[in-house]
Amino acid sequence: MTTDGGIRRTISDLVAQEHELRDRLSRGEADAHEERERLRAIEVELDQCWDLLRQRDAAREFGSDPDAATVRDPGTVEGYLD
């Protein structure tokens, strides 16, 4: 079972990783191509976490079980604005 607190901790960890990677890139301490790929992966994972929290909130609001919410695939969470 995933909890809201666990999801929020994952988000915090990912944001910290994102900031560190961006700092390393700005200082020229990292391979730009590899770090940009990792940044993109972090951004997708963050979007999945936020989506999962929104699903859980909606489930609660409408009387459903928030634990039934699942992580959606990257194509779904990244395609919302397309």
Side-chain angles (χ1 to χ4, degrees):
M1 171 174 54
T2 302
T3 65
D4 291 359
I7 298 166
R8 290 183 192 285
R9 280 188 294 281
T10 299
I11 289 170
S12 293
D13 292 345
L14 289 168
V15 168
Q17 289 177 44
E18 180 182 30
H19 289 173
E20 176 61 27
L21 286 172
R22 289 186 190 283
D23 288 345
R24 289 180 60 206
L25 278 170
S26 70
R27 293 188 307 259
E29 297 174 355
D31 177 85
H33 178 71
E34 287 180 22
E35 297 301 319
R36 288 189 199 291
E37 283 183 12
R38 178 62 187 137
L39 276 172
R40 180 67 187 134
I42 288 171
E43 289 167 355
V44 170
E45 194 171 347
L46 279 167
D47 288 345
Q48 288 175 303
C49 288
W50 284 115
D51 176 69
L52 183 57
L53 278 176
R54 285 189 292 273
Q55 287 182 64
R56 290 174 61 80
D57 287 345
R60 273 188 212 93
E61 182 177 345
F62 293 100
S64 297
D65 180 8
D67 291 335
T70 60
V71 175
R72 294 187 232 214
D73 66 274
T76 299
V77 298
E78 295 302 297
Y80 287 146
L81 298 178
D82 292 340

